[in-house]
Amino acid sequence: MALQAKKNKRGSMPIIPNQHGAWAMLIIPFLLGMLAAKPNWTHLWLAAAWFSAYCGSFAFLQGVKTSKYAAYKRAYLVWGTVLLVSGVILLSCRLDIWWMGAVMLPCYLVHIWFAKRKNERHFLNDAVAVLQFCWMLIIAFEVGGGTAWSLAWRLCAACVLYFVGTIFYVKTMIREKGNKNYYVGSVTVHIVAGTTVGLLLSPWLALPFGLLFFRAVWMPNQRVTIKQVGISEIAFSVMTAFSLALCI
């Protein structure tokens, strides 16, 4: 994911990452995977491990980018401790899922590569992050003892399509505003996403995904602030999550 860290008055990194767009990817797949199976107490430890892993990795990638690892030592200590405790408890409950977390490691190596080159906003880096975050849906589903694997994989595919479309859309609104190639790519991805999700899950999903398509077509031609884009994306994320949850 794109990485930014605002410094506080003392110049140290904040404990909570300020990448608001990443939080939707952090939360939505997890919730959908849990709801598609059966929520249980193990999900609490999985959530703690997942949350702390994200926050800790965010801090580490900032260190990689700036070569100022010491500036983020407070974040390493806090999130490393939470990850260690929650991870040990999680694996004591479900040791069999260790490999599902290990699958994410190659994705993290990609993030390190882009961080070293100070090019974290590259589309490929974002796309890899989408795959990484959506994989959590499968992990949460497994932890919940889910058996409807066809549904889980279809939900995962829907999340991937939604978030890839969001990456394109946000780029057309900010960094690539006016770029015709990104605009065409965004519109195309939204068409594919709406059609595919409708076929995979339910035809009525054409309504919310049709709204996403409309915003991808119309909004890049409007004058809106970055803050307005961010607020609207929160609403669209909630809408999409709720729509997909109704298909479970």
Side-chain angles (χ1 to χ4, degrees), residues 11 31 53 70 77 90 108 126 128 147 149 162 179 236:
L31 289 179
L77 177 61
L90 173 64
Y108 198 64
D126 288 341
V128 169
T147 57
W149 281 102
Y162 166 65
N179 186 319
F236 283 121

Side-chain angles (χ1 to χ4, degrees), residues 77-148:
L77 177 61
V78 171
W79 295 120
T81 300
V82 176
L83 178 59
L84 177 62
V85 173
S86 58
V88 168
I89 297 175
L90 173 64
L91 292 177
S92 69
C93 298
R94 291 294 306 269
L95 181 60
D96 59 306
I97 67 167
W98 69 268
W99 67 271
M100 302 184 83
V103 167
M104 294 186 181
L105 293 178
C107 295
Y108 198 64
L109 293 177
V110 173
H111 300 324
I112 292 175
W113 192 86
F114 279 105
K116 284 185 175 180
R117 286 154 182 77
K118 297 180 176 58
N119 193 22
E120 312 94 305
R121 296 184 183 277
H122 193 282
F123 177 81
L124 177 60
N125 194 42
D126 288 341
V128 169
V130 167
L131 295 177
Q132 184 179 10
F133 279 65
C134 290
W135 177 245
M136 179 49 63
L137 188 152
I138 301 302
I139 299 178
F141 183 79
E142 171 63 25
V143 168
T147 57

Side-chain angles (χ1 to χ4, degrees), residues 26-35 43 46-47 50 136-137 140:
L26 189 79
I27 296 171
I28 292 175
F30 179 92
L31 289 179
L32 290 175
M34 181 177 67
L35 294 174
H43 280 115
L46 177 62
W50 180 226
M136 179 49 63
L137 188 152

